[in-house]
Amino acid sequence: MTWNPLRLLGVLAVALLFVPVAAGAATRQQELDKLLTQYHQLRQFNGAALVANEKGVVLKKAYGKANFEWNVPNAPDTKFRIASVTKQFTAMVILQLVAEGKLKLDDTLVSALPDYRKDTGARVTLTHLLNHTSGIPSYTSAPDFFAKVSRNPYAVADFVKQFASGDLEFEPGSKFAYNNSGYFLLGAIIERVTGKPYAQAVQERIFTPLGMKDSGYDVHTTVLPKRASGYELAPDGYVNAAYLDMSLPYAAGSLYSTVEDLYRWDRALYENKLLPEALKQKMFTPGLENYGFGLFMDPLPLNDGKTVLATIGHSGGINGFSSRIYRVPAGREVVILLDNTSRGDKLQELSAGLFSVLHGIPPKAPRIGIRELLSQRIDQEPIAKTLAHYRELKASKPDAYDYSDGELNRLGYQLLRMKRPADAVEIFKLNVEMFPKLGNVYDSLGEAYLAVGDKEQARANYRKAVELDPKNSNAAAALQKLGTQQAGPPATKAVP
């Protein structure tokens, strides 16, 4: 072989072209890792993360523990319950059955499930179930569902009759109301049409063809290698999440997966391996609101205050677990976050930071949530002192903590779980004072007033919630259950 110096120079020149790219990728990966580590150190993320763009995976890493009792670390192949991220898989199977001519999107619920009640089922179509416009009450919105029902196993047909067959809350197709009952019913339809259990249908039609070997239906009794345990963050540290029988989330939320498998799913949605293109696009086409079939279409503002990404994805929350997948088709970017400490409240903020890094925008560092600080005081002093401490901190250190409405909201619900409804009322009243234009804070205050037996104030605040946010289906349903009795004027500002 003849040594050619010009050839060597050419090779070196080509090699040097790739140095800045590799260095840039390494820097980006370091920045992503730094941000995730910051969230983990503040106990705002504990799980696995995957960030990718059109070139492939930029970061895949796990943080914290999969099991705190045994000090087992999370890993990229740790299996997490994905909760409502399940819905996109249910929607895919339904669309596959449509492609095969076994179902039509305008089929009525009664034609797909002949045993369903005729008076309401004849007015609801599969499309209504898929895009949350059916009007069927969502079983998870029932006041006593989690306290009295969620630990008990049910056969699919029995659960449909008892918990997914209520009177319609509105005319099908006229409103959007996020609804777990609709997706439970879609699971029942899948079983009837395929003649197979829902879990088997999803496995054979999606997981196996895509090589998603670490995904499936989470059954409590199964010995499942590398399954994360679920926890919640309490004032004194992490506690085990409340038990939930996984026959109940079913086709609305009972699957488990890994960040690696969900990345395989993300890439498959750019192809037509599972479904013809025309039908696949139904998943990404919004109905009345920003929801297609099993997926939200949401704008995601980045940390520069200017850039907004058009995303397709879903979040999930279930006892001890939170999940989030954000897809950006324009750049084939994706952020996948799976958490086993119920910190779903931070995943959107974290996702925006991670996408900001991908786009060369400095990410905002996380801040300690004011709820965590106040939680340490609520057992040690009267609630009035806790409220006073909040006011003092917000006035003297406005940028030191996260004072967003969700922080006080979660503290109020924490008090409700602690059987302290009167104190919860005071926290929610403070939230209304701080955020008087947000419908959700009135919704929460209405729930607390119901817990103390004050139906008049509950109605007033639920009415205000609907007035500010007509899409608040929870408040609208609560008003319907409370009846139309006259009450005082809506609470425009409640001061503790």
Side-chain angles (χ1 to χ4, degrees), residues 54-202:
E54 73 282 357
K55 296 178 182 178
V57 175
V58 180
L59 176 137
K60 179 177 65 175
K61 191 172 179 180
Y63 302 80
K65 302 291 189 291
N67 184 283
F68 285 89
E69 287 91 341
W70 287 92
N71 203 33
V72 177
N74 276 315
D77 61 350
T78 298
K79 300 179 179 73
F80 297 81
R81 290 179 177 177
I82 62 174
S84 286
V85 172
T86 296
K87 290 181 171 68
Q88 56 204 276
F89 297 101
T90 301
M92 174 60 79
V93 175
I94 289 290
L95 288 172
Q96 288 176 334
L97 294 172
V98 170
E100 294 163 13
K102 297 173 182 176
L103 288 172
K104 297 191 296 292
L105 290 174
D106 58 359
D107 281 345
T108 64
L109 180 50
V110 167
S111 67
L113 283 182
D115 291 337
Y116 198 81
R117 56 183 287 189
K118 304 295 186 292
D119 57 334
T120 59
R123 295 152 62 190
V124 174
T125 67
L126 297 191
T127 293
H128 295 145
L129 297 176
L130 286 161
N131 64 16
H132 299 296
T133 59
S134 70
I136 296 170
S138 182
Y139 63 89
T140 48
S141 296
D144 57 354
F145 173 78
F146 288 99
K148 297 182 180 179
V149 180
S150 65
R151 300 175 66 90
N152 305 320
Y154 282 86
V156 172
D158 294 339
F159 192 87
V160 166
K161 289 179 182 177
Q162 193 165 348
F163 300 105
S165 300
D167 296 337
L168 297 180
E169 295 177 337
F170 53 83
E171 184 61 28
S174 66
K175 292 182 183 179
F176 171 89
Y178 189 82
N179 188 334
N180 285 309
S181 293
Y183 271 77
F184 195 103
L185 291 165
L186 289 169
I189 291 168
I190 288 169
E191 293 201 357
R192 180 177 179 273
V193 174
T194 64
K196 299 176 181 179
Y198 168 81
Q200 184 180 347
V202 175

Side-chain angles (χ1 to χ4, degrees), residues 111-408:
S111 67
L113 283 182
D115 291 337
Y116 198 81
R117 56 183 287 189
K118 304 295 186 292
D119 57 334
T120 59
R123 295 152 62 190
V124 174
T125 67
L126 297 191
T127 293
H128 295 145
L129 297 176
L130 286 161
N131 64 16
H132 299 296
T133 59
S134 70
I136 296 170
S138 182
Y139 63 89
T140 48
S141 296
D144 57 354
F145 173 78
F146 288 99
K148 297 182 180 179
V149 180
S150 65
R151 300 175 66 90
N152 305 320
Y154 282 86
V156 172
D158 294 339
F159 192 87
V160 166
K161 289 179 182 177
Q162 193 165 348
F163 300 105
S165 300
D167 296 337
L168 297 180
E169 295 177 337
F170 53 83
E171 184 61 28
S174 66
K175 292 182 183 179
F176 171 89
Y178 189 82
N179 188 334
N180 285 309
S181 293
Y183 271 77
F184 195 103
L185 291 165
L186 289 169
I189 291 168
I190 288 169
E191 293 201 357
R192 180 177 179 273
V193 174
T194 64
K196 299 176 181 179
Y198 168 81
Q200 184 180 347
V202 175
Q203 184 69 50
E204 292 177 355
R205 289 172 167 271
I206 301 176
F207 295 157
T208 298
L210 296 185
M212 296 174 66
K213 58 183 176 55
D214 292 322
S215 301
Y217 194 111
D218 197 353
V219 179
H220 176 71
T221 54
T222 300
V223 177
L224 184 63
K226 298 187 178 181
R227 172 166 54 190
S229 300
Y231 301 92
E232 293 181 359
L233 183 60
D236 296 328
Y238 290 111
V239 297
N240 286 295
Y243 175 77
L244 173 69
D245 191 282
M246 295 303 284
S247 66
L248 275 59
Y250 186 51
S254 279
L255 298 182
Y256 67 83
S257 192
T258 66
V259 292
E260 296 171 330
D261 269 6
L262 290 176
Y263 177 62
R264 292 183 177 94
W265 165 249
D266 163 68
R267 298 293 114 159
L269 289 177
Y270 290 110
E271 303 173 2
N272 296 323
K273 290 182 179 180
L274 301 174
L275 201 62
E277 181 66 22
L279 271 177
K280 186 181 69 178
Q281 287 302 319
K282 296 280 188 182
M283 296 182 70
F284 314 138
T285 305
L288 289 181
E289 299 294 339
N290 61 342
Y291 201 92
F293 289 175
L295 290 163
F296 279 100
M297 273 54 70
D298 281 330
L300 182 67
L302 300 190
N303 292 166
D304 61 354
K306 298 181 294 184
T307 306
V308 179
L309 300 180
T311 73
I312 296 174
H314 216 291
S315 62
I318 201 168
N319 302 23
F321 294 88
S322 298
S323 54
R324 174 78 67 166
I325 178 170
Y326 271 119
R327 306 177 65 245
V328 181
R332 295 206 172 189
E333 299 168 345
V334 67
V335 166
I336 302 167
L337 299 171
L338 301 178
D339 185 288
N340 62 316
T341 58
S342 295
R343 290 316 303 262
D345 55 306
K346 297 298 181 182
L347 296 190
Q348 179 174 343
E349 174 188 305
L350 173 54
S351 297
L354 295 170
F355 276 119
S356 294
V357 172
L358 279 187
H359 286 255
I361 298 167
K364 291 180 180 178
R367 294 177 296 171
I368 297 173
I370 196 64
R371 176 186 74 118
E372 191 166 346
L373 202 65
L374 298 181
S375 290
Q376 299 167 8
R377 305 173 64 97
I378 57 176
D379 286 332
Q380 305 168 12
E381 62 187 15
I383 198 68
K385 282 195 173 183
T386 303
L387 301 180
H389 186 59
Y390 172 92
R391 296 178 190 279
E392 178 186 340
L393 285 173
K394 192 166 186 182
S396 61
K397 299 179 179 179
D399 299 318
Y401 301 98
D402 178 2
Y403 296 99
S404 62
D405 62 292
E407 291 293 311
L408 285 178

Side-chain angles (χ1 to χ4, degrees), residues 411-451:
L411 181 60
Y413 280 108
Q414 180 180 323
L415 287 165
L416 284 178
R417 291 192 297 272
M418 294 168 66
K419 309 300 182 185
R420 294 170 56 181
D423 288 345
V425 166
E426 297 306 315
I427 291 294
F428 288 132
K429 284 168 65 178
L430 175 63
N431 215 16
V432 164
E433 178 189 348
M434 295 295 124
F435 301 94
K437 296 183 179 180
L438 294 182
N440 187 58
V441 298
Y442 293 91
D443 183 2
S444 300
L445 180 55
E447 188 170 340
Y449 272 125
L450 271 185

